[in-house]
Amino acid sequence: MERMEKRGEWQQFFDLIRKTNPPIWRLAAALFLSVASTVGGLVIPLFTKDLVDSFSIAAINQMTIAVLVAAFVAQAAASGLSIYFLTHVGQGIVKELRKRLWDKFLRLPVSYYDRARTGNMISRMTNDTGILKNLITSHVTSFFTGIISIVGSVAILLYLDWKMTVIMLTAAPLTLFILFPLGSQMYKISKGLQDKTAAFTANINQVLAEIRLVKASNAERIEKEKGYADIRTLFRFGLREGKVQALISPLVTFVLMAMLVIIIGYGGVRVSTGALSAGDLVAFILYLFQIMMPMVQFSTFFTELQKAKGATERIIQTLEHPEEDFSSGKALTETNHPIVVKGLSFAYEKAQYVLQDLNFTIQQGKVTAIVGPSGSGKTTLFALLERFYEPDEGIILFGKTPIEQFSLRSWRRLFGYVSQESPIVAGTIRENICYGLEEEVSDEALRSAAKMAYADEFIDAFPDRYETEVGERGVKLSGGQRQRIGIARALLRDPKILMLDEATSSLDSQSEIYVQKALQNLMRGRTTLVIAHRLSTVVDADQILFLDNGRLTGVGTHEELFNTHEKYRMFATQQLRMHD
């Protein structure tokens, strides 16, 4: 059973490599040149044997020197070309693996990112693919050529002197006895080390991304200790890996060096008795080195092989995770329909419903405000409408058609989304406003969107205007400026359905005035859903949905709900007091 599992693991490894479509001719050329170099190396000791046995100054002529030099040059050239071709193959495999992983990351559903840590995913992309590349470029060929070198050397040595060869071969079982148990231990250690490295990367990524929070909270000491703890854990795993490596190489070398001493001693006796020529003994020693070197390399190969097995498992786990299907489904042609929600229920965790049995209609071209206490499921409702998650129960219709029947790409193209803090990516203001648009955006369209978002005033004040670098996550911009860039981005996309998630809740009064004006431009003529805490937004809405603990407890206008819904009346009264 265990043997079948191991066979399956290696099958996974080979399948993963095969799917990258490595260039077979380049791989074959690399292997051929490596074999040629190895075979050339097998011939040289025989040539040396004849040279020693018939040594004289007269025997060393220009032809002999030329042949010897040509053999060494040819062997070096074949070895160099083989290394280059293998490096090319290995880098190509890593490139394709990283492309597959990157494509997978972009297609994974939002629910995956709710559970996964960014640092772990970065580790898949960098560390794990690097381990596979290292195995392919540095160790696979040396393993196969090592086998050829050992088999060829043993065959020639059996021909030269079978008794000495049998004595020498006793080293093979001893070496395997050392390699196999230590290799199994190395797999466990390397897998743990890679997991801890991924967790450490995730923690670094999180801390550095929120460095302002760290400093504002005086959390440097806490984060320092957490980081030190991770570093100490990595240190311990590294030591454990070092201990195994410290056992493998010296033990293998010790066994082989012992065999060398035995061969030299026993061979010297046989030379003195005339059973063996001096040339034979020299050839024996040279062939012994051609056996010893691959045996030492095998220990490194098996270590890297165990690491690659762990890396393969994690990469495959990521690649096999279900992804969003962007292509299937029909394209949206008619976009002027209401959104109808029937019996909608959803839970992030089983049986812990965030939304339960919702029924309502969002009329086309109207403003619908979603109101309720914190944690009542307002943002989750937005995520379901954008199909970031699938409902556990119920259905969402666009007109009379379930939204699942539309292709994901065309459905999401309907929406423009402005959140509490509009996401900003590192780059220029132009790149942020045009983010996600595949077609070229004219300067006129860009300026028009910025003007309608009331962003042109502060953009024009920058020396580089639309080419101004905003810094990572837009740190060089104020909250109001980031919001207005987010609104300009939405305007440029010209969405049919607009979603505003408390878009002014974190702004000062001056910024809010600008953003409210920009939002009025954005909302004009569109179906608009607003998660609102401000009474002014709610009062002007055509329809209000009141969510309480995941249930829809009220639907109507401001006046209707104020007169009939106690919790809404409390909400509205509190808002009035806040603005007095």
Side-chain angles (χ1 to χ4, degrees):
M1 187 68 180
E2 186 178 346
R3 187 178 299 173
M4 289 179 66
E5 288 178 1
K6 288 184 177 180
R7 188 182 303 165
E9 289 168 355
W10 296 124
Q11 186 63 45
Q12 283 184 331
F13 172 75
F14 290 121
D15 285 345
L16 184 66
I17 299 302
R18 182 174 51 81
K19 288 177 181 176
T20 63
N21 296 317
I24 300 302
W25 70 268
R26 192 173 278 118
L27 186 61
L31 289 173
F32 172 78
L33 289 168
S34 294
V35 170
S37 175
T38 303
V39 171
L42 290 173
V43 173
I44 289 172
L46 288 176
F47 183 84
T48 307
K49 166 186 173 298
D50 293 336
L51 194 64
V52 170
D53 284 339
S54 59
F55 183 78
S56 67
I57 299 297
I60 304 176
N61 53 41
Q62 291 182 346
M63 179 60 69
T64 303
I65 295 172
V67 170
L68 195 59
V69 169
F72 279 117
V73 169
Q75 186 183 19
S79 178
L81 283 171
S82 172
I83 291 170
Y84 172 75
F85 284 148
L86 266 179
T87 301
H88 198 291
V89 170
Q91 292 290 357
I93 287 171
V94 169
K95 180 191 74 172
E96 293 303 319
L97 273 179
R98 286 175 175 164
K99 282 169 66 176
R100 284 186 68 195
L101 279 169
W102 184 239
D103 184 59
K104 188 71 177 186
F105 289 164
L106 295 174
R107 290 176 173 272
L108 286 168
V110 172
S111 57
Y112 179 88
Y113 290 92
D114 293 340
R115 298 186 299 274
R117 297 186 69 182
T118 306
N120 290 338
M121 300 175 74
I122 293 171
S123 184
R124 296 295 85 78
M125 179 73 80
T126 54
N127 297 342
D128 289 346
T129 55
I131 288 170
L132 295 183
K133 182 212 70 168
N134 191 42
L135 176 69
I136 294 164
T137 57
S138 303
H139 300 289
V140 168
T141 302
S142 63
F143 175 73
F144 287 110
T145 55
I147 290 174
I148 294 170
S149 179
I150 290 171
V151 171
S153 296
V154 169
I156 294 171
L157 289 177
L158 285 170
Y159 170 75
L160 292 176
D161 193 309
W162 67 269
K163 292 180 179 179
M164 281 181 59
T165 305
V166 169
I167 293 172
M168 185 188 68
L169 289 178
T170 57
L174 288 172
T175 306
L176 294 176
F177 180 76
I178 294 168
L179 285 179
F180 279 105
L182 290 177
S184 176
Q185 187 68 20
M186 179 59 77
Y187 167 68
K188 296 175 183 176
I189 294 170
S190 63
K191 191 174 186 302
L193 179 61
Q194 289 161 32
D195 289 339
K196 293 297 181 183
T197 302
F200 182 49
T201 306
N203 190 53
I204 291 173
N205 185 72
Q206 177 177 292
V207 171
L208 296 183
E210 301 297 341
I211 193 65
R212 291 168 181 260
L213 172 64
V214 172
K215 292 186 175 296
S217 305
N218 286 324
E220 290 94 339
R221 186 184 297 276
I222 295 171
E223 293 299 346
K224 181 177 77 171
E225 291 304 320
K226 286 169 63 179
Y228 280 6
D230 287 342
I231 290 167
R232 284 193 294 270
T233 301
L234 290 175
F235 174 72
R236 286 193 293 270
F237 269 99
L239 278 184
R240 288 173 62 191
E241 185 179 49
K243 286 177 183 176
V244 175
Q245 289 175 337
L247 284 171
I248 290 176
S249 292
L251 283 174
V252 172
T253 303
F254 172 77
V255 171
L256 295 176
M257 289 302 293
M259 291 311 305
L260 177 62
V261 171
I262 292 170
I263 291 298
I264 291 174
Y266 181 60
V269 172
R270 289 178 66 77
V271 169
S272 65
T273 60
L276 198 70
S277 71
D280 286 336
L281 181 58
V282 169
F284 235 97
I285 294 171
L286 290 176
Y287 280 121
L288 185 59
F289 276 108
Q290 294 208 33
I291 293 171
M292 285 171 58
M293 293 304 294
M295 292 292 282
V296 174
Q297 290 173 347
F298 285 173
S299 64
T300 307
F301 170 77
F302 282 113
T303 299
E304 293 299 319
L305 199 62
Q306 298 302 331
K307 289 183 181 179
K309 189 168 75 169
T312 300
E313 287 175 4
R314 284 185 294 277
I315 291 173
I316 288 174
Q317 282 174 4
T318 302
L319 291 175
E320 288 182 345
H321 196 279
E323 63 183 42
E324 290 183 324
D325 184 359
F326 289 93
S327 56
S328 64
K330 58 185 179 182
L332 267 166
T333 52
E334 292 291 330
T335 57
N336 297 323
H337 294 296
I339 297 174
V340 181
V341 174
K342 293 183 177 181
L344 182 69
S345 295
F346 174 76
Y348 291 105
E349 302 293 337
K350 288 184 178 179
Q352 296 179 5
Y353 283 103
V354 180
L355 297 172
Q356 197 161 2
D357 196 27
L358 302 188
N359 294 275
F360 60 88
T361 299
I362 299 169
Q363 295 296 337
Q364 191 269 328
K366 302 293 184 181
V367 177
T368 298
I370 304 170
V371 180
S374 179
S376 57
K378 301 184 293 294
T379 303
T380 300
L381 177 59
F382 271 23
L384 286 165
L385 290 173
E386 286 196 270
R387 291 172 63 186
F388 291 153
Y389 304 96
E390 296 294 328
D392 293 313
E393 297 173 17
I395 192 170
I396 303 174
L397 304 170
F398 190 57
K400 296 182 179 180
T401 307
I403 61 174
E404 292 81 7
Q405 292 186 15
F406 300 112
S407 74
L408 202 54
R409 196 175 299 279
S410 66
W411 175 251
R412 288 184 181 160
R413 197 174 286 129
L414 285 179
F415 290 86
Y417 181 69
V418 182
S419 61
Q420 297 178 45
E421 288 192 14
S422 289
I424 300 292
V425 297
T428 65
I429 289 175
R430 176 189 293 273
E431 289 167 347
N432 272 279
I433 295 176
C434 299
Y435 186 79
L437 296 175
E438 296 178 355
E439 63 275 10
E440 189 72 25
V441 177
S442 68
D443 289 343
E444 183 181 348
L446 182 67
R447 285 194 295 269
S448 175
K451 185 174 182 179
M452 290 184 69
Y454 289 87
D456 58 329
E457 181 181 342
F458 76 81
I459 293 173
D460 290 338
F462 290 126
D464 294 328
R465 303 182 68 198
Y466 290 90
E467 304 308 318
T468 300
E469 293 285 339
V470 299
E472 188 172 9
R473 304 174 72 201
V475 294
K476 296 181 181 179
L477 302 175
S478 70
Q481 289 171 339
R482 288 197 294 270
Q483 287 297 78
R484 281 179 273 172
I485 285 179
I487 293 168
R489 181 191 299 150
L491 280 163
L492 202 58
R493 293 175 67 88
D494 190 25
K496 301 300 180 184
I497 302 170
L498 181 62
M499 306 175 85
L500 307 177
D501 188 350
E502 300 179 6
T504 61
S505 64
S506 60
L507 302 179
D508 59 74
S509 56
Q510 184 65 35
S511 296
E512 184 183 356
I513 292 170
Y514 281 113
V515 172
Q516 286 285 15
K517 290 180 179 178
L519 288 173
Q520 287 171 9
N521 287 334
L522 182 58
M523 292 164 65
R524 192 173 296 125
R526 306 179 200 278
T527 302
T528 305
L529 291 86
V530 187
I531 292 177
H533 281 173
R534 306 296 175 101
L535 189 63
S536 56
T537 307
V538 178
V539 169
D540 295 333
D542 298 295
Q543 175 182 241
I544 300 167
L545 308 177
F546 195 93
L547 286 177
D548 187 10
N549 199 26
R551 292 183 177 274
L552 185 62
T553 60
V555 180
T557 62
H558 166 71
E559 188 175 329
E560 290 168 349
L561 289 179
F562 193 88
N563 293 327
T564 61
H565 196 289
E566 182 180 350
K567 282 197 173 183
Y568 178 79
R569 186 164 53 250
M570 290 173 59
F571 161 80
T573 304
Q574 287 171 354
Q575 289 292 308
L576 282 169
R577 287 174 184 163
M578 289 172 62
H579 286 78
D580 279 346

